[in-house]
Amino acid sequence: MREKDNRLEALRLIISSQQLGSQDELLKELHKEGFQLTQATLSRDLKQLKVAKAATMDGSYVYVLPNETMYKRVSTPSSTREMMQVSGVLSITFSGNIGVIKTRTGYASAIAWNIDAHQLPQILGTVAGADTILFVVKEGVTQHEVIDALSTVIQGVK
Protein backbone atom coordinates (compact mmCIF):
# COMPACT_ATOMS: atom_id res chain seq x y z
CA MET A 1 0.00 0.00 0.00
CA ARG A 2 2.97 2.31 0.60
CA GLU A 3 3.78 2.22 -3.13
CA LYS A 4 0.25 3.31 -3.98
CA ASP A 5 0.32 6.09 -1.35
CA ASN A 6 3.62 7.35 -2.80
CA ARG A 7 2.23 7.16 -6.33
CA LEU A 8 -0.92 9.09 -5.36
CA GLU A 9 1.17 11.73 -3.60
CA ALA A 10 3.41 12.06 -6.67
CA LEU A 11 0.35 12.35 -8.88
CA ARG A 12 -1.07 15.13 -6.68
CA LEU A 13 2.21 17.02 -6.80
CA ILE A 14 2.57 16.61 -10.57
CA ILE A 15 -0.98 17.82 -11.23
CA SER A 16 -0.61 20.78 -8.87
CA SER A 17 2.71 21.88 -10.34
CA GLN A 18 2.27 21.28 -14.09
CA GLN A 19 -0.37 21.85 -16.75
CA LEU A 20 -0.93 18.44 -18.27
CA GLY A 21 -3.90 17.57 -20.44
CA SER A 22 -3.61 13.86 -21.21
CA GLN A 23 -3.13 10.62 -19.37
CA ASP A 24 -0.15 9.92 -21.62
CA GLU A 25 1.54 13.09 -20.33
CA LEU A 26 0.77 12.08 -16.74
CA LEU A 27 2.16 8.57 -17.32
CA LYS A 28 5.38 10.02 -18.75
CA GLU A 29 5.82 12.28 -15.70
CA LEU A 30 5.14 9.39 -13.33
CA HIS A 31 7.61 7.19 -15.23
CA LYS A 32 10.25 9.95 -14.89
CA GLU A 33 9.70 9.71 -11.13
CA GLY A 34 10.19 5.93 -11.16
CA PHE A 35 6.56 4.80 -11.07
CA GLN A 36 5.72 1.99 -13.49
CA LEU A 37 1.97 1.73 -14.02
CA THR A 38 -0.55 1.11 -16.73
CA GLN A 39 -3.05 3.55 -18.16
CA ALA A 40 -5.81 1.59 -16.39
CA THR A 41 -4.11 2.03 -13.00
CA LEU A 42 -3.62 5.74 -13.69
CA SER A 43 -7.28 6.05 -14.60
CA ARG A 44 -8.30 4.42 -11.28
CA ASP A 45 -5.89 6.71 -9.39
CA LEU A 46 -7.38 9.80 -11.08
CA LYS A 47 -10.86 8.64 -10.14
CA GLN A 48 -9.83 8.00 -6.53
CA LEU A 49 -8.30 11.48 -6.28
CA LYS A 50 -11.42 12.99 -7.91
CA VAL A 51 -9.25 14.66 -10.55
CA ALA A 52 -11.12 16.65 -13.20
CA LYS A 53 -10.25 18.58 -16.32
CA ALA A 54 -10.66 22.34 -16.42
CA ALA A 55 -10.31 24.88 -19.19
CA THR A 56 -7.28 27.15 -19.18
CA MET A 57 -7.21 30.75 -20.37
CA ASP A 58 -6.03 29.58 -23.82
CA GLY A 59 -8.94 27.15 -24.19
CA SER A 60 -7.02 23.93 -23.63
CA TYR A 61 -8.00 21.49 -20.88
CA VAL A 62 -5.70 20.39 -18.05
CA TYR A 63 -6.03 18.09 -15.07
CA VAL A 64 -6.91 19.76 -11.78
CA LEU A 65 -7.35 18.45 -8.27
CA PRO A 66 -10.60 18.93 -6.38
CA ASN A 67 -11.03 22.41 -4.90
CA GLU A 68 -8.29 23.93 -7.06
CA THR A 69 -7.88 26.85 -4.64
CA MET A 70 -6.32 24.40 -2.21
CA TYR A 71 -3.82 23.24 -4.85
CA LYS A 72 -2.14 26.48 -5.83
CA ARG A 73 0.10 25.96 -8.83
CA VAL A 74 3.68 26.97 -8.29
CA SER A 75 5.34 28.79 -11.18
CA THR A 76 8.80 27.25 -10.74
CA PRO A 77 8.20 23.77 -9.35
CA SER A 78 10.87 21.49 -7.99
CA SER A 79 10.95 17.97 -9.34
CA THR A 80 8.28 15.72 -7.86
CA ARG A 81 10.98 13.53 -6.30
CA GLU A 82 12.46 16.59 -4.55
CA MET A 83 9.02 17.68 -3.32
CA MET A 84 8.29 14.20 -1.96
CA GLN A 85 11.59 14.07 -0.06
CA VAL A 86 10.86 17.31 1.78
CA SER A 87 7.94 17.12 4.15
CA GLY A 88 6.85 20.66 3.37
CA VAL A 89 6.03 21.31 7.02
CA LEU A 90 7.48 24.55 8.39
CA SER A 91 5.91 24.61 11.87
CA ILE A 92 3.24 23.11 14.10
CA THR A 93 1.55 25.15 16.84
CA PHE A 94 -1.37 24.52 19.18
CA SER A 95 -4.07 26.52 20.92
CA GLY A 96 -6.23 24.32 23.12
CA ASN A 97 -7.51 21.44 21.00
CA ILE A 98 -6.78 23.26 17.72
CA GLY A 99 -3.54 22.80 15.85
CA VAL A 100 -2.07 24.75 12.95
CA ILE A 101 0.51 23.38 10.56
CA LYS A 102 2.29 25.96 8.38
CA THR A 103 3.62 24.46 5.15
CA ARG A 104 5.41 25.47 2.00
CA THR A 105 3.01 26.96 -0.55
CA GLY A 106 1.05 24.25 -2.32
CA TYR A 107 1.82 21.49 0.19
CA ALA A 108 -1.00 21.95 2.73
CA SER A 109 -3.76 20.13 0.92
CA ALA A 110 -1.67 17.07 0.10
CA ILE A 111 -0.39 16.84 3.68
CA ALA A 112 -3.91 17.29 5.10
CA TRP A 113 -5.19 14.59 2.77
CA ASN A 114 -2.43 12.28 3.98
CA ILE A 115 -3.33 12.98 7.64
CA ASP A 116 -7.01 12.31 6.96
CA ALA A 117 -6.26 9.17 4.93
CA HIS A 118 -4.32 7.67 7.84
CA GLN A 119 -7.28 8.23 10.18
CA LEU A 120 -5.12 9.13 13.17
CA PRO A 121 -7.28 8.62 16.27
CA GLN A 122 -5.74 11.72 17.92
CA ILE A 123 -6.99 14.05 15.15
CA LEU A 124 -10.69 14.54 14.40
CA GLY A 125 -10.18 16.25 11.03
CA THR A 126 -8.34 18.81 8.95
CA VAL A 127 -9.05 21.86 6.82
CA ALA A 128 -6.37 23.02 4.39
CA GLY A 129 -5.52 26.11 2.40
CA ALA A 130 -2.50 26.73 0.19
CA ASP A 131 0.05 26.86 3.03
CA THR A 132 -1.89 26.24 6.26
CA ILE A 133 -3.63 23.24 7.80
CA LEU A 134 -6.06 23.64 10.67
CA PHE A 135 -6.75 20.44 12.61
CA VAL A 136 -8.87 19.54 15.61
CA VAL A 137 -7.33 17.39 18.34
CA LYS A 138 -9.50 14.85 20.16
CA GLU A 139 -10.20 15.75 23.79
CA GLY A 140 -7.74 14.31 26.29
CA VAL A 141 -4.93 13.91 23.75
CA THR A 142 -1.67 15.71 24.55
CA GLN A 143 0.31 17.79 22.08
CA HIS A 144 3.16 15.29 22.42
CA GLU A 145 0.82 12.45 21.40
CA VAL A 146 -0.33 14.45 18.37
CA ILE A 147 3.26 15.14 17.30
CA ASP A 148 4.10 11.44 17.70
CA ALA A 149 1.09 10.48 15.58
CA LEU A 150 1.92 13.08 12.91
CA SER A 151 5.51 11.81 12.74
CA THR A 152 4.19 8.47 11.48
CA VAL A 153 2.49 10.27 8.56
CA ILE A 154 4.72 13.27 7.79
CA GLN A 155 8.42 12.80 7.16
CA GLY A 156 10.63 14.96 9.40
CA VAL A 157 8.05 15.85 12.08
CA LYS A 158 9.52 15.44 15.55
Side-chain angles (χ1 to χ4, degrees):
M1 198 58 153
R2 179 106 174 110
E3 174 70 18
K4 182 177 180 181
D5 289 342
N6 286 340
R7 186 178 70 241
L8 291 174
E9 181 70 11
L11 190 53
R12 273 189 219 88
L13 291 169
I14 289 168
I15 291 170
S16 65
S17 65
Q18 299 180 48
Q19 290 193 350
L20 304 174
S22 73
Q23 287 190 7
D24 187 51
E25 291 173 321
L26 285 172
L27 278 173
K28 286 178 184 172
E29 291 301 317
L30 286 165
H31 286 152
K32 283 183 194 175
E33 299 301 329
F35 295 98
Q36 301 302 317
L37 65 152
T38 64
Q39 182 276 329
T41 300
L42 174 60
S43 187
R44 285 189 296 272
D45 288 351
L46 293 172
K47 185 176 182 177
Q48 180 177 343
L49 295 175
K50 296 179 174 61
V51 171
K53 278 195 164 181
T56 63
M57 296 301 280
D58 67 7
S60 62
Y61 287 84
V62 296
Y63 287 104
V64 294
L65 295 160
N67 195 357
E68 182 60 37
T69 60
M70 293 175 18
Y71 290 90
K72 182 178 177 187
R73 288 195 193 277
V74 290
S75 57
T76 54
S78 304
S79 77
T80 303
R81 185 165 310 283
E82 289 172 324
M83 289 190 280
M84 288 179 69
Q85 290 175 348
V86 176
S87 76
V89 172
L90 302 176
S91 66
I92 302 174
T93 56
F94 294 89
S95 178
N97 72 326
I98 303 291
V100 175
I101 301 173
K102 291 302 240 172
T103 71
R104 297 172 193 258
T105 301
Y107 281 66
S109 207
I111 292 170
W113 181 90
N114 206 18
I115 293 167
D116 291 339
H118 281 83
Q119 299 178 347
L120 301 174
Q122 301 85 348
I123 297 176
L124 298 175
T126 64
V127 178
D131 63 359
T132 305
I133 302 167
L134 178 73
F135 62 94
V136 179
V137 178
K138 188 175 183 178
E139 278 192 56
V141 175
T142 67
Q143 292 176 9
H144 181 72
E145 291 171 318
V146 172
I147 298 294
D148 283 348
L150 288 172
S151 72
T152 66
V153 175
I154 307 168
Q155 178 182 349
V157 170
K158 297 176 192 125

